Amino acid sequence: MKTLLRMKKLFIYGIALAGITSLASCEKDILEQYPTASISPNTFFKTENDLIAYTNSFYSELPGGSDIYGEQADNIVKSSVPREIAGTRLVPTTDSKWGWAALRNINFFLNSENVRNFPNTEIRDKYIGVAKFFRAMFYYEKVRYFGDVPWYSVVIETNDEENLYKGRDPRTLIMDSIMADLDFAIAHLGTAKDIERINKWTALALKANVGLYEGTWRKYHTEFSLPDSEKFLRAAVSASEEIMNSGLFKLYTATSGPTGNPYQDLFATITLDPVADEVILGRRYSNEYGIRHGLQFYITARTQGKPGLEKKLVNSYLMADGSRFTDIPGYETMQYQDEIKNRDPRLSQTIKFPGYRRIGTNALSSVDFESTMTGYQPIKHMSLPEMDGNNQSYQDLIIFRFGEVLLNYAEAKAELGELTQADLDISINLLRARAGMPDLNMDWANANPDPYQANMYRNVSGANAGVILEIRRERRIELVMENNFRWEDLMRWKEGHLLTWPFQGAYFPGPGKYDLDGNGVYEIEIYSGDKPPATGPYQLPASDLSEGLSGNILTNRNIPKSFDENRDYLWPLPIEDLTLNTNLTQNPNWR
Amino acid sequence: MRIFSYWGIVLLLLSPLVNYAQSGTTVVGTVLDENSVPLEGVTVEVLNLSDSALVQASFTSREGLFRFSNLEGNRNYHFRFSHIGYEDHVLGNFQVKAGENNTMLVRMRTAESSSLEDVIVIGYGTKQRVNLTGAVSQVNGDDLRDRPVTNISSMLQGAMPNFNVTFGGGTPGQMGSLNIRGATSISGSNVSNGAPLVLIDGIPGTLDRLSPEEVETITVLKDASSAAIYGARAAFGVVLVTTKSGRSGKTVFRYNNSFGWATPTVSTDFITTGYDWMKLNDQALAHVGGYSGYTEADYAELYARRNDKKEDPSRPWVTVQNRNGRDQYVYYGNYDWYDIMFTKWQGIQNHNLSFSGGSEKVTYMVNGNMKRMDGIMRIQDDQYKSHNVRTKISAELTPWLRFSNNINFYNSTYDYFGRPGGGNANFIHINVHASPAYAPFNPDGTASYRTGLNNYDIGDGIFAMLLDGKTRGAERKYELKQISELVFTPLKDLRITANYSYNMYTDPSFYRQSPAKFSLEPGVVEITPKYSIDKLSEDQQFNQVHVVNVFGNYDFNIGRAHNFNLIAGFNQEIHKSKKITAERFDISSEDLNDLNLGTGDQAVFGGSSAYAVQGYFYRLSYDYKSKYLFEANGRYDGSSRFPKGQRFGFFPSFSAGWRLSEEKFYDPLKDVINDFKIRGSVGQLGNQAVSSPYPYILTMQPGTMSYIVQNERLKYYSSPNPVSGDLTWEKVTSYNIGVDLMLLRNRLMISYDQYVRTTRDMLGAGVKLPNVYGAPQPLVNVADLETKGFEVTIQWNDNLDVAGKPFRYNAGIVLSDNKSVITKINNPTALTHSLYEGKDVGEIWGYITNGYFKTDAEAKTYPVDQTWLNRVRIDNNIPIGAGDLRWVDLDGDGRISAGENTIYNPGDQRVIGNSTPRYRFGVTGGFSWNNVDMSFFFQGIGKMNWYPGNNADRFWGPYSRPYFSFLPKDFASQVWSPENPDAYFPSLVAYVALNANNELRATNNKYLQDLAYVRLKNLTMGYTLPVQLTRRYKIDRLRVFVSGENVFTSTKLKTKYIDPEQAMANIDGRVYPFVKTYSFGIDLSF
């Protein structure tokens, strides 16, 4: 009885408990929680600001820092040699080069309903143009690495087996798509000059670069039997011409910069504003925001590979009067202090020379063999000494410049066989004039092809061979330490064998101490036999010279190098992706 | 048992009892402790003989007296005496004689911790230990008092088996990471050791924001059956903290303090001679011409000063010389940079004051705590402080309704100088380029920063940054939590509890960077390029938690044999967090720090999120005469982290116990094994703590890029990471069996548990997609993990008579172990370092070396191509020779390689160790006699492998970076040379421990370490002044003590410069040092 009563009471309290419980929970379903600090794609892309904010994300794909200045190939020698240069690349398990995140980000934008239905079509197409520019850039890089790659214009879903597991599309399809994307961008992007933003001129500059690359690749890589080489060269020409004719760009020739030498100042300037005439697209850095790069640390520190210019590049600089250094008898055994005299002024604006004073100091600064392998210590891009620390450089860097457009124009014309002296005068000779060099004469060049250059560039032939060699010389000199151009040039010209040549430095006639800049202080001591007591200068064993007791500094002489003509122009695809997608095929001869 | 009771005369009095309207009889008595000192505040309850129902209750006075004045005469009662810290004492069947003066004298015994009658806190209730069926451990807050430590979690390390506490470093106030029973789940490519749910007075909280003085008990619920009532967040156990409450009676004040000095557990005896330091580093980097830029002449100068402990005026340590065309400082010192930067001893203080008491209807407890610990910085002091106040009040509003309120305020502050984060960041950054040769100061008092002979920033420029004390910051934390609770007691055995808690947490912090100055050329002061910015940043998080609990608890029995307990309830929580970060450049004042003073650019960032959980739970427990025990728990739980259809889950558990010792047939054994229980449990729980608060919703995240347009950092949105629409709970199933034994007259307690815990449907990537997919794969419920382990507790408690005084002593061991295997995952590629099916969690793959080449010739003719592991040597044309490691070609292909780096083709790698800590143990012991007490506590782990990371500076020295500041004193003797062929390290080349594909960077058997250690975690000695003495000053109790923490450590780790816990915290062992501390203090009640 008592228990029964208790049960009844219990029941009543149970009801009350349930009541309180539902009171706490019924106001609203508290388990419905939605993000408060991010946006649903459905509600985005409604205003131009949304389009700007989204397309801003693409800018992170642009090269920066060491992508721009960290060139190697056979231009800059370091204490170690990357595998692709030594010819010892392995087929990797995974590889960031085979990364596709950037493309997904672009295609998400291009496929968004809200973007497609954006009411103002002019504004919409402008930002679609930005996206297509970046898609072109993305695929251009993929093609340079891998040749044929799968083309995607959609955002791939996890169950989209057709796209996930498809094979590679032919290079021709990819390249045509790149050009179509670029043409769209050129047609719809803004036309005002803006060195910080993607616009019509950036797209044209990229198109010229792509056209020249693909045109020459198809021309020289006959093993792939690709058509339409001329179509791409023509595209390069027309894109370059449009920039050249726009009147918006000219070479920077002012002498008001920190050194008064326009070529040197173009790269040493801290902000791009004074040199904006020549810049098509630049990348800004900021000391205040702590957005910096490592250029000066790379050049001055002892532990960053000790970069130095390679001897054959140094040999390629003409004499100040336009004659060839390599035509001078005995040039091979000429010592630093002699060879450096009376050369194309760009040489002394690219490497340390006797009497060099750093920007921001009055002190003379000698070659520091602690920091350079070859003795030809680069100074391109070098600015204030305070930027020497690890990741402490903040000078702006250039991604596209008018000078490159001129080189692309001349080379494309020459490869098409349509080059004239007038073309040279509005391109190469402008660059030469800025440097203070005499003009290149087309007829003379074709009549007197440089045997030194011809020995390097074995595949150049035809009536324009002489001038093509000179254009290549000009390109190598003008664009050294910029955007890894040299590697790409060797690939498209099919001159990979140049990487296997020994990389050398300055010439020394024998053991002894050398004062390279005549300031009374020795920079280097060559010794044979046992290492003598150190007295100050950097000590190098004579066995590191090419002839044993004399000769050029031999760098990396124990690193065996090779280049497989049938394999090494393309990169291997990573094993993981070949395993996951059996429709993908490996590039030729990679195992 | 020494209990003395007397009874005599019974007095008649008038006060009527509710049911007995007649005048009653008086009973008076005195309660004493073992030392015959009157005990105050003892609860005395008078119980009915028939059903043990409470008739009356009272408390003893300051003199230990109690009095009942209206009991029915000539009737028998039970008298129950209870007091915290003492064993309950029952005077059964006491006859109250009518008309007589009934008196009694009772002595209470100090409680033994392993008693079967211990009350164990469990989810939404308590239970006697004897009736437990799950895996539960508990410690008393009083056992943690008086230890010189700033956080409770550190005191709990090793205190309970399989309650695992690890630390990210020794920073003062550093909170411990808690884990119960090992690996719990996976996140990305890592296995996670998930944290248990921590509930403080039933509400989620942070263990380390408590002070031990306010803690009554800390209980760890380990298996599913114990934790199931908490459902979704309790998948990996629960820690229940109960704070002390007031008791009716006189107000008791208690104050205790301690003052201590801490010092690193590791050696700080580094190379402090410029000559030796430079020699080693230049030797390591000889192949590129050395590091220092010092000439032979410079070396001669260094050598001349090599034995100068102090600067000799005739041989200055800082000189001015013309180098590279300018006059500059050239340094030839023997500076002890560690000593310049850091203090050897750091002070630590603790003060705690509490008072509690109450009337019969209202009780209260107030506890206030203050801690202070100095950081290690010497050049600019850093300091950690915390304050904590708890106020509890409880009032009986009506006989059936009790209200209580519990408010806690916590605040901690860390003030520092230097890098953001202070001590730890400075400690890490000073680790490069601070050569003993380089002076911190120039003679004119300016800081050094660079030498001009090479380009490196001395000590990363930290010293220059610290010197003027303008670059600094503070981290502050404030938490205010309040719990309001109503308890209805509508029926005698039915209790309905409803509580609401609000918790507010904020952590306003600031950091000011002021340009740091240095001098390289005498008289020229420059701004350091690295620290050139003038900037103030402030950030603040604001978190709120609302919790509602409503539950009913009903006890009943049938015929006093079948005992039931029923609990049903509801729980709901909402967590909201918001963050604001602001920064401003170019502040107008060096000393003031406010955003308003900024004249330069500014930037502001935000962020917010919220999530909620809701659950309905029940427990049914039943026992038959405490012999057969059954329990069923369950919870129906919902989480906002999952899409609507998958939001709720039901998580049941069952457990049972059998006390064999209560069976008739057991009787013959009863004298040896006094109590014998076996238990088992099985249950399933859900884990909702997966990735973001909105793992199933597509969102576009805003961001700011390191890319400048129009002089501003670009702001952007990018594409949403794909999500899976059908996410749901990870399901955790746990099986537990256990045995509890009491032996040798209940003096020896043994408790053993063995368990298997499987985590199913863990969130991982599904079928691996080709990279063209272009995004992190959406997580789906795909992977399974299994963790197995055991834990054992052995405790001995006894007391003897020594010289006529009680001598009580105890000793105990806890030991636990666990290991985990990935039982299911989608990873057909099975790279060695990835999570693959069948992987033992923590396994370490590596290469095998069988020692050094004895001669150059042997190296030259060794038939195996080992270029794969000699990258630096190959690249720098350093031939392999005597003193270089010889690798074993396990797969016999003539060359060392990683193969495909998969488990099917691992090349020459194999599993060489495991990084899971195994065999964690704690050993305790102590005694008390004649007012003297002593206790010790050892803690450690039995086995754990560690391969030092590539920046483990104190381990690798110049083999990693040829410019680490702090090289062990004897490092040179460990470097191989023809004269030292058995050295620990091979011939010296820089970077081989830093970069991939090099001999020391490649994980291998020779340098694999075992972190097994044992440490004397605490040693305390105390003396309680005789009561007769203290009484004169109205002091109830006064104890003075000395205590040592981490007093001594023994380890298998092959360096004395890294603490095993540093290595566990960080792969490089490069974190703020752990400390050993010596302290003294008093503990006083009045």
PDB file of all heavy atoms in Angstrom, chain A residues 6 17 32 36 39 56 104 196 300 558 577, chain B residues 455 550 554 608 647 700 710 715 719 771 773 877:
ATOM      1  N   ARG A   6       3.696   5.627  -2.907  1.00  0.00           N
ATOM      2  CA  ARG A   6       4.994   6.182  -3.282  1.00  0.00           C
ATOM      3  C   ARG A   6       5.162   6.215  -4.800  1.00  0.00           C
ATOM      4  O   ARG A   6       5.634   7.175  -5.382  1.00  0.00           O
ATOM      5  CB  ARG A   6       6.090   5.324  -2.646  1.00  0.00           C
ATOM      6  CG  ARG A   6       7.423   6.032  -2.562  1.00  0.00           C
ATOM      7  CD  ARG A   6       8.464   5.106  -2.062  1.00  0.00           C
ATOM      8  NE  ARG A   6       8.553   5.078  -0.611  1.00  0.00           N
ATOM      9  CZ  ARG A   6       9.422   4.273   0.040  1.00  0.00           C
ATOM     10  NH1 ARG A   6      10.198   3.470  -0.633  1.00  0.00           N
ATOM     11  NH2 ARG A   6       9.476   4.287   1.338  1.00  0.00           N
ATOM     12  N   LEU A  17       9.273  16.528 -13.848  1.00  0.00           N
ATOM     13  CA  LEU A  17      10.641  16.496 -14.370  1.00  0.00           C
ATOM     14  C   LEU A  17      10.633  16.632 -15.888  1.00  0.00           C
ATOM     15  O   LEU A  17      11.379  17.422 -16.462  1.00  0.00           O
ATOM     16  CB  LEU A  17      11.289  15.178 -13.936  1.00  0.00           C
ATOM     17  CG  LEU A  17      12.735  14.966 -14.339  1.00  0.00           C
ATOM     18  CD1 LEU A  17      13.615  15.963 -13.595  1.00  0.00           C
ATOM     19  CD2 LEU A  17      13.169  13.557 -14.005  1.00  0.00           C
ATOM     20  N   GLU A  32      20.463  22.940 -33.775  1.00  0.00           N
ATOM     21  CA  GLU A  32      20.618  23.554 -35.092  1.00  0.00           C
ATOM     22  C   GLU A  32      21.604  24.712 -34.952  1.00  0.00           C
ATOM     23  O   GLU A  32      21.229  25.825 -34.590  1.00  0.00           O
ATOM     24  CB  GLU A  32      19.263  24.091 -35.588  1.00  0.00           C
ATOM     25  CG  GLU A  32      18.245  23.021 -35.933  1.00  0.00           C
ATOM     26  CD  GLU A  32      18.562  22.352 -37.263  1.00  0.00           C
ATOM     27  OE1 GLU A  32      19.006  23.046 -38.187  1.00  0.00           O
ATOM     28  OE2 GLU A  32      18.377  21.119 -37.358  1.00  0.00           O
ATOM     29  N   THR A  36      29.073  30.957 -37.855  1.00  0.00           N
ATOM     30  CA  THR A  36      28.877  32.382 -37.617  1.00  0.00           C
ATOM     31  C   THR A  36      30.037  33.208 -38.146  1.00  0.00           C
ATOM     32  O   THR A  36      29.983  34.422 -38.120  1.00  0.00           O
ATOM     33  CB  THR A  36      28.754  32.638 -36.102  1.00  0.00           C
ATOM     34  OG1 THR A  36      29.837  31.976 -35.447  1.00  0.00           O
ATOM     35  CG2 THR A  36      27.444  32.103 -35.558  1.00  0.00           C
ATOM     36  N   ILE A  39      31.110  31.930 -44.665  1.00  0.00           N
ATOM     37  CA  ILE A  39      29.990  32.217 -45.557  1.00  0.00           C
ATOM     38  C   ILE A  39      29.616  30.960 -46.326  1.00  0.00           C
ATOM     39  O   ILE A  39      30.477  30.197 -46.742  1.00  0.00           O
ATOM     40  CB  ILE A  39      30.415  33.315 -46.561  1.00  0.00           C
ATOM     41  CG1 ILE A  39      30.686  34.623 -45.822  1.00  0.00           C
ATOM     42  CG2 ILE A  39      29.382  33.516 -47.636  1.00  0.00           C
ATOM     43  CD1 ILE A  39      29.451  35.341 -45.372  1.00  0.00           C
ATOM     44  N   ASN A  56      41.106  37.267 -55.335  1.00  0.00           N
ATOM     45  CA  ASN A  56      42.351  37.549 -54.606  1.00  0.00           C
ATOM     46  C   ASN A  56      43.059  36.271 -54.194  1.00  0.00           C
ATOM     47  O   ASN A  56      44.281  36.221 -54.108  1.00  0.00           O
ATOM     48  CB  ASN A  56      42.041  38.357 -53.336  1.00  0.00           C
ATOM     49  CG  ASN A  56      41.880  39.840 -53.622  1.00  0.00           C
ATOM     50  OD1 ASN A  56      42.197  40.309 -54.717  1.00  0.00           O
ATOM     51  ND2 ASN A  56      41.368  40.571 -52.639  1.00  0.00           N
ATOM     52  N   ARG A 104      41.249  23.489 -58.540  1.00  0.00           N
ATOM     53  CA  ARG A 104      39.923  23.334 -57.952  1.00  0.00           C
ATOM     54  C   ARG A 104      39.368  24.690 -57.500  1.00  0.00           C
ATOM     55  O   ARG A 104      38.209  25.009 -57.736  1.00  0.00           O
ATOM     56  CB  ARG A 104      40.004  22.384 -56.751  1.00  0.00           C
ATOM     57  CG  ARG A 104      38.653  22.080 -56.166  1.00  0.00           C
ATOM     58  CD  ARG A 104      38.754  21.249 -54.890  1.00  0.00           C
ATOM     59  NE  ARG A 104      37.417  20.922 -54.422  1.00  0.00           N
ATOM     60  CZ  ARG A 104      36.765  19.819 -54.757  1.00  0.00           C
ATOM     61  NH1 ARG A 104      37.335  18.921 -55.525  1.00  0.00           N
ATOM     62  NH2 ARG A 104      35.540  19.613 -54.327  1.00  0.00           N
ATOM     63  N   GLU A 196      50.277  45.786 -59.982  1.00  0.00           N
ATOM     64  CA  GLU A 196      50.004  44.872 -58.868  1.00  0.00           C
ATOM     65  C   GLU A 196      48.893  43.886 -59.177  1.00  0.00           C
ATOM     66  O   GLU A 196      48.721  42.907 -58.454  1.00  0.00           O
ATOM     67  CB  GLU A 196      49.609  45.680 -57.622  1.00  0.00           C
ATOM     68  CG  GLU A 196      50.718  46.577 -57.123  1.00  0.00           C
ATOM     69  CD  GLU A 196      50.283  47.402 -55.926  1.00  0.00           C
ATOM     70  OE1 GLU A 196      49.069  47.649 -55.789  1.00  0.00           O
ATOM     71  OE2 GLU A 196      51.152  47.795 -55.137  1.00  0.00           O
ATOM     72  N   THR A 300      74.575  36.419 -49.484  1.00  0.00           N
ATOM     73  CA  THR A 300      75.701  36.777 -48.616  1.00  0.00           C
ATOM     74  C   THR A 300      76.053  35.734 -47.555  1.00  0.00           C
ATOM     75  O   THR A 300      77.163  35.743 -47.051  1.00  0.00           O
ATOM     76  CB  THR A 300      75.418  38.105 -47.889  1.00  0.00           C
ATOM     77  OG1 THR A 300      74.213  37.960 -47.134  1.00  0.00           O
ATOM     78  CG2 THR A 300      75.263  39.249 -48.857  1.00  0.00           C
ATOM     79  N   ASN A 558      82.691  16.242 -57.906  1.00  0.00           N
ATOM     80  CA  ASN A 558      82.452  14.829 -57.641  1.00  0.00           C
ATOM     81  C   ASN A 558      81.004  14.433 -57.782  1.00  0.00           C
ATOM     82  O   ASN A 558      80.619  13.327 -57.458  1.00  0.00           O
ATOM     83  CB  ASN A 558      82.946  14.478 -56.253  1.00  0.00           C
ATOM     84  CG  ASN A 558      84.453  14.450 -56.249  1.00  0.00           C
ATOM     85  OD1 ASN A 558      85.055  13.603 -56.908  1.00  0.00           O
ATOM     86  ND2 ASN A 558      85.049  15.410 -55.584  1.00  0.00           N
ATOM     87  N   ASP A 577      49.891   8.400 -57.704  1.00  0.00           N
ATOM     88  CA  ASP A 577      48.782   8.691 -58.616  1.00  0.00           C
ATOM     89  C   ASP A 577      48.689   7.676 -59.741  1.00  0.00           C
ATOM     90  O   ASP A 577      47.596   7.364 -60.217  1.00  0.00           O
ATOM     91  CB  ASP A 577      48.909  10.113 -59.149  1.00  0.00           C
ATOM     92  CG  ASP A 577      48.481  11.100 -58.083  1.00  0.00           C
ATOM     93  OD1 ASP A 577      47.276  11.383 -57.988  1.00  0.00           O
ATOM     94  OD2 ASP A 577      49.357  11.533 -57.310  1.00  0.00           O
TER      95      ASP A 577
ATOM     96  N   ASN B 455      76.930  36.436 -41.141  1.00  0.00           N
ATOM     97  CA  ASN B 455      75.715  37.235 -41.220  1.00  0.00           C
ATOM     98  C   ASN B 455      74.640  36.843 -40.232  1.00  0.00           C
ATOM     99  O   ASN B 455      73.499  37.218 -40.389  1.00  0.00           O
ATOM    100  CB  ASN B 455      75.124  37.073 -42.621  1.00  0.00           C
ATOM    101  CG  ASN B 455      75.416  38.298 -43.454  1.00  0.00           C
ATOM    102  OD1 ASN B 455      75.657  39.362 -42.908  1.00  0.00           O
ATOM    103  ND2 ASN B 455      75.382  38.143 -44.747  1.00  0.00           N
ATOM    104  N   VAL B 550      18.890  18.282 -15.296  1.00  0.00           N
ATOM    105  CA  VAL B 550      17.737  17.967 -14.464  1.00  0.00           C
ATOM    106  C   VAL B 550      17.713  16.461 -14.312  1.00  0.00           C
ATOM    107  O   VAL B 550      17.734  15.738 -15.316  1.00  0.00           O
ATOM    108  CB  VAL B 550      16.418  18.426 -15.126  1.00  0.00           C
ATOM    109  CG1 VAL B 550      15.251  18.147 -14.185  1.00  0.00           C
ATOM    110  CG2 VAL B 550      16.480  19.886 -15.486  1.00  0.00           C
ATOM    111  N   TYR B 554      16.257   7.930  -7.316  1.00  0.00           N
ATOM    112  CA  TYR B 554      15.278   7.256  -6.471  1.00  0.00           C
ATOM    113  C   TYR B 554      15.860   5.954  -5.955  1.00  0.00           C
ATOM    114  O   TYR B 554      16.347   5.127  -6.726  1.00  0.00           O
ATOM    115  CB  TYR B 554      14.012   6.987  -7.293  1.00  0.00           C
ATOM    116  CG  TYR B 554      12.908   6.343  -6.484  1.00  0.00           C
ATOM    117  CD1 TYR B 554      12.452   6.934  -5.307  1.00  0.00           C
ATOM    118  CD2 TYR B 554      12.328   5.158  -6.909  1.00  0.00           C
ATOM    119  CE1 TYR B 554      11.442   6.348  -4.581  1.00  0.00           C
ATOM    120  CE2 TYR B 554      11.313   4.563  -6.187  1.00  0.00           C
ATOM    121  CZ  TYR B 554      10.871   5.167  -5.005  1.00  0.00           C
ATOM    122  OH  TYR B 554       9.881   4.578  -4.285  1.00  0.00           O
ATOM    123  N   SER B 608      34.232  33.262 -34.784  1.00  0.00           N
ATOM    124  CA  SER B 608      33.278  32.816 -33.777  1.00  0.00           C
ATOM    125  C   SER B 608      32.709  31.465 -34.169  1.00  0.00           C
ATOM    126  O   SER B 608      32.760  31.070 -35.333  1.00  0.00           O
ATOM    127  CB  SER B 608      32.146  33.833 -33.619  1.00  0.00           C
ATOM    128  OG  SER B 608      31.456  33.980 -34.830  1.00  0.00           O
ATOM    129  N   ARG B 647      22.073  13.014 -36.148  1.00  0.00           N
ATOM    130  CA  ARG B 647      22.443  13.835 -35.002  1.00  0.00           C
ATOM    131  C   ARG B 647      22.413  13.055 -33.683  1.00  0.00           C
ATOM    132  O   ARG B 647      23.239  13.263 -32.826  1.00  0.00           O
ATOM    133  CB  ARG B 647      21.482  15.013 -34.934  1.00  0.00           C
ATOM    134  CG  ARG B 647      21.944  16.106 -34.063  1.00  0.00           C
ATOM    135  CD  ARG B 647      21.149  17.354 -34.344  1.00  0.00           C
ATOM    136  NE  ARG B 647      21.659  18.073 -35.495  1.00  0.00           N
ATOM    137  CZ  ARG B 647      20.998  19.053 -36.116  1.00  0.00           C
ATOM    138  NH1 ARG B 647      19.782  19.377 -35.729  1.00  0.00           N
ATOM    139  NH2 ARG B 647      21.533  19.675 -37.124  1.00  0.00           N
ATOM    140  N   MET B 700      32.867  28.951 -46.829  1.00  0.00           N
ATOM    141  CA  MET B 700      33.996  29.648 -47.431  1.00  0.00           C
ATOM    142  C   MET B 700      34.661  30.466 -46.341  1.00  0.00           C
ATOM    143  O   MET B 700      34.056  31.344 -45.752  1.00  0.00           O
ATOM    144  CB  MET B 700      33.504  30.550 -48.554  1.00  0.00           C
ATOM    145  CG  MET B 700      32.799  29.728 -49.612  1.00  0.00           C
ATOM    146  SD  MET B 700      32.127  30.712 -50.936  1.00  0.00           S
ATOM    147  CE  MET B 700      33.552  31.566 -51.495  1.00  0.00           C
ATOM    148  N   GLN B 710      48.301  47.486 -53.074  1.00  0.00           N
ATOM    149  CA  GLN B 710      47.957  48.813 -52.569  1.00  0.00           C
ATOM    150  C   GLN B 710      48.295  48.952 -51.086  1.00  0.00           C
ATOM    151  O   GLN B 710      47.507  49.446 -50.293  1.00  0.00           O
ATOM    152  CB  GLN B 710      46.490  49.128 -52.826  1.00  0.00           C
ATOM    153  CG  GLN B 710      46.287  49.420 -54.298  1.00  0.00           C
ATOM    154  CD  GLN B 710      44.833  49.545 -54.671  1.00  0.00           C
ATOM    155  OE1 GLN B 710      43.961  49.101 -53.955  1.00  0.00           O
ATOM    156  NE2 GLN B 710      44.594  50.135 -55.825  1.00  0.00           N
ATOM    157  N   LYS B 715      43.033  40.492 -48.666  1.00  0.00           N
ATOM    158  CA  LYS B 715      42.004  39.706 -47.981  1.00  0.00           C
ATOM    159  C   LYS B 715      41.334  38.829 -49.028  1.00  0.00           C
ATOM    160  O   LYS B 715      41.146  39.267 -50.159  1.00  0.00           O
ATOM    161  CB  LYS B 715      40.954  40.619 -47.349  1.00  0.00           C
ATOM    162  CG  LYS B 715      41.498  41.882 -46.683  1.00  0.00           C
ATOM    163  CD  LYS B 715      42.306  41.592 -45.443  1.00  0.00           C
ATOM    164  CE  LYS B 715      42.766  42.849 -44.726  1.00  0.00           C
ATOM    165  NZ  LYS B 715      43.666  43.701 -45.523  1.00  0.00           N
ATOM    166  N   SER B 719      37.776  28.567 -52.047  1.00  0.00           N
ATOM    167  CA  SER B 719      36.721  27.564 -52.186  1.00  0.00           C
ATOM    168  C   SER B 719      36.586  26.749 -50.908  1.00  0.00           C
ATOM    169  O   SER B 719      37.554  26.517 -50.203  1.00  0.00           O
ATOM    170  CB  SER B 719      37.030  26.638 -53.365  1.00  0.00           C
ATOM    171  OG  SER B 719      38.217  25.939 -53.116  1.00  0.00           O
ATOM    172  N   ASN B 771      45.129  12.667 -56.843  1.00  0.00           N
ATOM    173  CA  ASN B 771      45.383  14.061 -56.481  1.00  0.00           C
ATOM    174  C   ASN B 771      44.615  15.079 -57.317  1.00  0.00           C
ATOM    175  O   ASN B 771      44.456  16.217 -56.898  1.00  0.00           O
ATOM    176  CB  ASN B 771      46.880  14.357 -56.600  1.00  0.00           C
ATOM    177  CG  ASN B 771      47.567  14.167 -55.275  1.00  0.00           C
ATOM    178  OD1 ASN B 771      47.150  14.738 -54.276  1.00  0.00           O
ATOM    179  ND2 ASN B 771      48.588  13.334 -55.252  1.00  0.00           N
ATOM    180  N   TYR B 773      41.750  15.394 -57.615  1.00  0.00           N
ATOM    181  CA  TYR B 773      40.584  15.825 -56.844  1.00  0.00           C
ATOM    182  C   TYR B 773      40.798  17.249 -56.312  1.00  0.00           C
ATOM    183  O   TYR B 773      39.880  18.047 -56.257  1.00  0.00           O
ATOM    184  CB  TYR B 773      40.343  14.842 -55.697  1.00  0.00           C
ATOM    185  CG  TYR B 773      39.140  15.175 -54.854  1.00  0.00           C
ATOM    186  CD1 TYR B 773      37.859  15.160 -55.405  1.00  0.00           C
ATOM    187  CD2 TYR B 773      39.277  15.532 -53.520  1.00  0.00           C
ATOM    188  CE1 TYR B 773      36.756  15.487 -54.637  1.00  0.00           C
ATOM    189  CE2 TYR B 773      38.176  15.853 -52.745  1.00  0.00           C
ATOM    190  CZ  TYR B 773      36.917  15.836 -53.314  1.00  0.00           C
ATOM    191  OH  TYR B 773      35.833  16.163 -52.553  1.00  0.00           O
ATOM    192  N   ASN B 877      81.011  16.547 -51.661  1.00  0.00           N
ATOM    193  CA  ASN B 877      82.257  15.918 -52.020  1.00  0.00           C
ATOM    194  C   ASN B 877      83.078  15.525 -50.798  1.00  0.00           C
ATOM    195  O   ASN B 877      84.268  15.757 -50.726  1.00  0.00           O
ATOM    196  CB  ASN B 877      83.050  16.877 -52.931  1.00  0.00           C
ATOM    197  CG  ASN B 877      84.351  16.275 -53.395  1.00  0.00           C
ATOM    198  OD1 ASN B 877      84.439  15.052 -53.497  1.00  0.00           O
ATOM    199  ND2 ASN B 877      85.328  17.111 -53.664  1.00  0.00           N
TER     200      ASN B 877
END
